[in-house]
Amino acid sequence: MTAPKISVLIPLYNRKHYIAQCIDSALNQTFTDFEIIVRDDGSTDGSADFVDERYAAEISSGKIKLCRNETNLGEFPTDNKLLREATGKYVMILHSDDLYLPHALQNMYEFAEYLSADVVHAGNFLQSPPVIDANTQFKVMCWENRIVDKIELVPNDSAQRFNLWADADIFIDAQYNIFNRQFLLDNEIFFDDVGGNQLFCLHWLMQAKICVKTPEIFYIRRDAPDSYTNDRTHLAKRAQKFIFGSVTVSKYFDKIFRSVDYFKDNEAAQYRAKAIFYNRTDSYELYHRKIYEHGITPELHNAVDSAIKECFGEYADYVTFLFHKSNCRNFNQDYNKIVSP
């Protein structure tokens, strides 16, 4: 059986009410030589069974492959499984609450083939409310500081590429790209569970021989109300996970620094990369989620204190203090006391 030109990879978790529109948008493409791989990450709402039943014909024909994780692994380990399972020359990631425009695969494939690109990156996308119908008003979005109005080759100069990432001139999320699959495999470019899109982007950007930016709009982003982006539950546990992750992510940094010549023996660049990553992650995981909005609660203090002591030893009280102090200041909270429950 001939391998398809593109593998569309859909990580799925509790998106029963969105997944049909998502898959239908991939099936209804002007381009036809592709496969869809859906991997369910232990959904509890019947998402996988829904896909199995609704798309029985496509699954039987091999157009759609439905796989299931035995336990909930999380977004990025699931993405890695999908990347390894893909058989297409190119891979594209589609989130299970998002959609493609009808020309998505055709245009991105043609760009990649014509320019022999390892990666084609689109910074523009459409933002949508949760419910999409004939009357939906979409908003054109671009979160990059520098917006392109024509196809551009990204300079091969490593310092310039690093600055693209450092200065937020390239949008880090993986779903706005088409990747040459062999390029990812040959360079062992996969997602780190903590570094996620940020370090995945830094890795491919620094390794790609030919990288292209396009103003093409092909993606509709729709954040479900209960998506990870909007979820503010278990804030103390999130702070704890942030601390553990920030410590262990150094292993992925070491992997990038070993494989990219620009970073070898370049201590200043290595520090800058880590500082930017930690600052962005801190801003997103702690400030954006307003974890310290009400000060230091007993639950938050205990979670942070136990994580820091596990990582740095029993005498790391000063580190705990600094962590509380820096984050309380963002919300004008008193860092000198634990708030009574």
Side-chain angles (χ1 to χ4, degrees), residues 204-257:
W204 65 252
L205 182 61
M206 299 302 289
Q207 292 284 67
K209 290 184 173 62
I210 299 177
C211 178
V212 181
K213 290 188 70 172
T214 173
E216 179 75 16
I217 297 176
F218 73 90
Y219 199 94
I220 300 175
R221 179 188 178 108
R222 170 176 62 178
D223 285 331
D226 61 342
S227 69
Y228 184 81
T229 303
N230 298 320
D231 185 9
R232 294 194 62 243
T233 59
H234 310 297
L235 298 185
K237 289 184 179 180
R238 286 184 180 276
Q240 190 176 64
K241 182 180 178 182
F242 168 81
I243 293 167
F244 286 132
S246 297
V247 173
T248 59
V249 77
S250 60
K251 294 179 181 179
Y252 196 90
F253 269 116
D254 291 341
K255 177 181 177 180
I256 296 176
F257 296 160

Side-chain angles (χ1 to χ4, degrees), residues 38 56 62 129 186 208 215 237 274 298:
V38 180
D186 288 347
K237 289 184 179 180
K274 290 180 178 180

Side-chain angles (χ1 to χ4, degrees), residues 11 45 57 97 108 119 151 154 170 203 228 250 263 303 328 338:
D45 68 345
D97 51 359
M108 296 298 281
V119 185
I151 296 175
V154 176
I170 196 159
H203 203 175
Y228 184 81
S250 60
F263 289 115
C328 277
I338 297 175

Side-chain angles (χ1 to χ4, degrees), residues 18-29:
Y18 298 96
I19 188 61
Q21 281 188 317
C22 170
I23 292 177
D24 287 348
S25 77
L27 288 173
N28 298 324
Q29 290 287 304

Side-chain angles (χ1 to χ4, degrees), residues 35-308:
E35 66 175 354
I36 297 172
I37 307 178
V38 180
R39 176 164 280 279
D40 182 74
D41 189 25
S43 292
T44 58
D45 68 345
S47 290
D49 291 339
F50 173 79
V51 171
D52 200 13
E53 180 178 347
R54 182 182 177 99
Y55 298 99
E58 289 83 358
I59 292 171
S60 178
S61 70
K63 189 69 173 179
I64 296 177
K65 298 176 184 176
L66 176 61
C67 310
R68 306 184 192 221
N69 294 342
E70 292 183 4
T71 58
N72 178 260
L73 301 178
E75 175 186 351
F76 298 119
T78 300
D79 286 339
N80 287 338
K81 281 181 171 288
L82 287 165
L83 289 173
R84 291 186 172 97
E85 290 159 347
T87 62
K89 180 178 181 180
Y90 298 97
V91 293
M92 296 173 69
I93 295 174
L94 174 60
H95 285 182
S96 54
D97 51 359
D98 296 340
L99 298 87
Y100 281 150
L101 294 176
H103 59 272
L105 303 190
Q106 183 76 46
N107 288 5
M108 296 298 281
Y109 174 79
E110 289 179 354
F111 292 150
E113 282 288 285
Y114 181 72
L115 296 164
S116 299
D118 292 321
V119 185
V120 179
H121 168 74
N124 300 323
F125 61 94
L126 296 180
Q127 184 73 50
S128 163
V131 177
I132 297 177
D133 55 32
N135 298 315
T136 298
Q137 297 293 313
F138 299 103
K139 184 178 181 180
V140 178
M141 300 287 289
C142 182
W143 291 346
E144 299 178 350
N145 290 327
R146 180 180 174 273
I147 302 173
V148 300
D149 57 8
K150 60 182 179 180
I151 296 175
E152 293 185 1
L153 285 173
V154 176
N156 279 328
D157 181 76
S158 295
Q160 287 183 269
R161 289 199 177 189
F162 180 47
N163 285 333
L164 281 177
W165 179 84
D167 298 336
D169 285 334
I170 196 159
F171 190 25
I172 61 172
D173 285 2
Q175 62 266 33
Y176 304 99
N177 309 303
I178 186 170
F179 299 98
N180 183 297
R181 183 174 62 90
Q182 200 60 49
F183 156 71
L184 297 179
L185 296 178
D186 288 347
N187 291 282
E188 297 184 354
I189 300 174
F190 294 99
F191 292 93
D192 173 77
D193 194 22
V194 178
N197 279 303
Q198 282 202 66
L199 297 191
F200 182 77
C201 176
L202 178 62
H203 203 175
W204 65 252
L205 182 61
M206 299 302 289
Q207 292 284 67
K209 290 184 173 62
I210 299 177
C211 178
V212 181
K213 290 188 70 172
T214 173
E216 179 75 16
I217 297 176
F218 73 90
Y219 199 94
I220 300 175
R221 179 188 178 108
R222 170 176 62 178
D223 285 331
D226 61 342
S227 69
Y228 184 81
T229 303
N230 298 320
D231 185 9
R232 294 194 62 243
T233 59
H234 310 297
L235 298 185
K237 289 184 179 180
R238 286 184 180 276
Q240 190 176 64
K241 182 180 178 182
F242 168 81
I243 293 167
F244 286 132
S246 297
V247 173
T248 59
V249 77
S250 60
K251 294 179 181 179
Y252 196 90
F253 269 116
D254 291 341
K255 177 181 177 180
I256 296 176
F257 296 160
R258 286 194 305 269
S259 61
V260 177
D261 288 339
Y262 176 74
F263 289 115
K264 293 177 181 177
D265 302 319
N266 189 343
E267 187 175 356
Q270 291 182 20
Y271 173 79
R272 187 181 179 209
K274 290 180 178 180
I276 290 169
F277 170 80
Y278 291 134
N279 184 62
R280 287 176 179 170
T281 308
D282 181 277
S283 176
Y284 181 71
E285 292 293 340
L286 301 177
Y287 179 75
H288 175 73
R289 298 189 188 287
K290 301 180 180 179
I291 287 178
Y292 279 82
E293 183 179 22
H294 303 294
I296 308 170
T297 65
E299 182 187 17
L300 179 57
H301 172 71
N302 290 334
V304 168
D305 189 53
S306 64
I308 287 178

